[in-house]
Amino acid sequence: MQLFIDTADIVQIREAYSWGIVDGVTTNPTHIANSGKPFDDVLAEIFELVDGPISVESVSTNAPGIIAEGRRIAAFHKNAVVKVPVMIEGLKAVKVLSSEGIKTNVTLCFSPVQAFLAAKAGATYISPFIHRLDMVGHEGADLIRQIRAIYDNYGFETKILAASIRNVKQVLDSLLAGADVCTMPLEMLEALYRHPLTDAGLQSFLTDWKRVPPSRLFEAAAV
Ligand code: G3P
């Protein structure tokens, strides 16, 4: 499963990218607004830094507008993926953009049937919003499982991009349900590394190491 970072904050993207586990970036209009920078500048910075798929959201609500924005986004960089909301006009646009070889990420997906329609339109990615479903009493992981079954039953190649991730359990559920990609904020990526037993174990090893006589081997490697 690939990991994407879900933000337009270049400092956070740079930090996560330096860890070697980030494959791409997803942004949305909220992230761009929160960055406090002009849209074009934010995009230039992200595309310069990351060599992987980068989703940029269209903001028109009619197909001709989405298609025009999508072509502009795609022309900006070879790694660009056009994010389009699930709706009739959006999927009309996805059909045209995908026929032109432009990659798309159909977003704001809350039902397996929406994911089926996105795949029929030729979407590259479908983004089910897991935490937003969990928050209203649904089981977000069930949506991934259902989409996985539909795509496997009918041989759709659209990738499942689990989005709106707010805890480690949702990442584990995404892995077990067969998501192709999981996108999350920096603090969530960081949380994936953590376990209290790791911290406690490391602490005791480092304490015990103080009782070992100095090592020439490690002295030479010290940085
Ligand atoms: O990629 C989805 C994300 O941009 C929005 O999800 O629920 O974390 O705001 P959320």
Side-chain angles (χ1 to χ4, degrees), residues 57-67 69 85 87:
E57 194 149 342
S58 59
V59 290
S60 286
T61 52
N62 58 70
I66 296 168
I67 292 165
E69 288 172 0
M87 54 185 183

Side-chain angles (χ1 to χ4, degrees), residues 87-108:
M87 54 185 183
I88 291 173
E89 291 299 302
L91 295 189
K92 276 163 64 176
V94 167
K95 180 101 183 171
V96 173
L97 293 170
S98 64
S99 75
E100 295 175 6
I102 293 173
K103 293 194 172 68
T104 55
N105 173 358
V106 173
T107 188
L108 288 166

Side-chain angles (χ1 to χ4, degrees), residues 148-185:
R148 181 76 281 153
I150 291 166
Y151 285 4
D152 290 350
N153 282 350
Y154 296 98
F156 288 121
E157 289 181 2
T158 302
K159 290 184 165 59
I160 303 172
L161 195 168
S164 181
I165 297 290
R166 298 287 176 79
N167 61 58
V168 175
K169 172 78 164 40
Q170 290 162 342
V171 179
L172 175 60
D173 287 344
S174 301
L175 281 160
L176 295 175
D180 299 289
V181 190
C182 199
T183 190
M184 65 199 78

Side-chain angles (χ1 to χ4, degrees), residues 6 26 28 31 83 129 132 163-166 183:
D6 190 38
T26 49
N28 63 33
H31 294 328
K83 218 167 166 186
F129 275 35
R132 293 192 194 190
S164 181
I165 297 290
R166 298 287 176 79
T183 190

Side-chain angles (χ1 to χ4, degrees), residues 67-84:
I67 292 165
E69 288 172 0
R71 286 175 180 152
R72 286 292 186 97
I73 292 168
F76 190 80
H77 197 281
K78 66 177 172 55
N79 289 335
V81 178
V82 183
K83 218 167 166 186
V84 182

Side-chain angles (χ1 to χ4, degrees), residues 26-219:
T26 49
T27 67
N28 63 33
T30 306
H31 294 328
I32 301 290
N34 289 344
S35 78
K37 295 180 184 171
F39 181 48
D40 299 10
D41 295 357
V42 177
L43 292 194
E45 285 180 340
I46 299 174
F47 280 97
E48 165 81 20
L49 178 67
V50 177
D51 185 19
I54 297 167
S55 289
V56 180
E57 194 149 342
S58 59
V59 290
S60 286
T61 52
N62 58 70
I66 296 168
I67 292 165
E69 288 172 0
R71 286 175 180 152
R72 286 292 186 97
I73 292 168
F76 190 80
H77 197 281
K78 66 177 172 55
N79 289 335
V81 178
V82 183
K83 218 167 166 186
V84 182
V86 182
M87 54 185 183
I88 291 173
E89 291 299 302
L91 295 189
K92 276 163 64 176
V94 167
K95 180 101 183 171
V96 173
L97 293 170
S98 64
S99 75
E100 295 175 6
I102 293 173
K103 293 194 172 68
T104 55
N105 173 358
V106 173
T107 188
L108 288 166
C109 172
F110 294 96
S111 92
V113 183
Q114 288 178 321
F116 162 60
L117 294 173
K120 269 185 85 69
T124 314
Y125 298 95
I126 182 70
S127 286
F129 275 35
I130 307 310
H131 189 68
R132 293 192 194 190
L133 277 171
D134 288 350
M135 286 294 283
V136 294
H138 290 255
E139 182 66 44
D142 282 346
L143 177 56
I144 302 176
R145 281 187 279 274
Q146 289 167 339
I147 299 172
R148 181 76 281 153
I150 291 166
Y151 285 4
D152 290 350
N153 282 350
Y154 296 98
F156 288 121
E157 289 181 2
T158 302
K159 290 184 165 59
I160 303 172
L161 195 168
S164 181
I165 297 290
R166 298 287 176 79
N167 61 58
V168 175
K169 172 78 164 40
Q170 290 162 342
V171 179
L172 175 60
D173 287 344
S174 301
L175 281 160
L176 295 175
D180 299 289
V181 190
C182 199
T183 190
M184 65 199 78
L186 178 70
E187 60 270 22
M188 273 305 312
L189 286 167
E190 196 177 10
L192 302 184
Y193 288 84
R194 281 198 232 110
H195 195 286
L197 292 177
T198 304
D199 297 342
L202 176 61
Q203 197 50 56
S204 79
F205 287 157
L206 292 177
T207 301
D208 289 344
W209 183 250
K210 293 184 179 135
R211 295 188 283 110
V212 177
S215 148
R216 282 193 303 281
L217 191 71
F218 274 14
E219 203 178 349

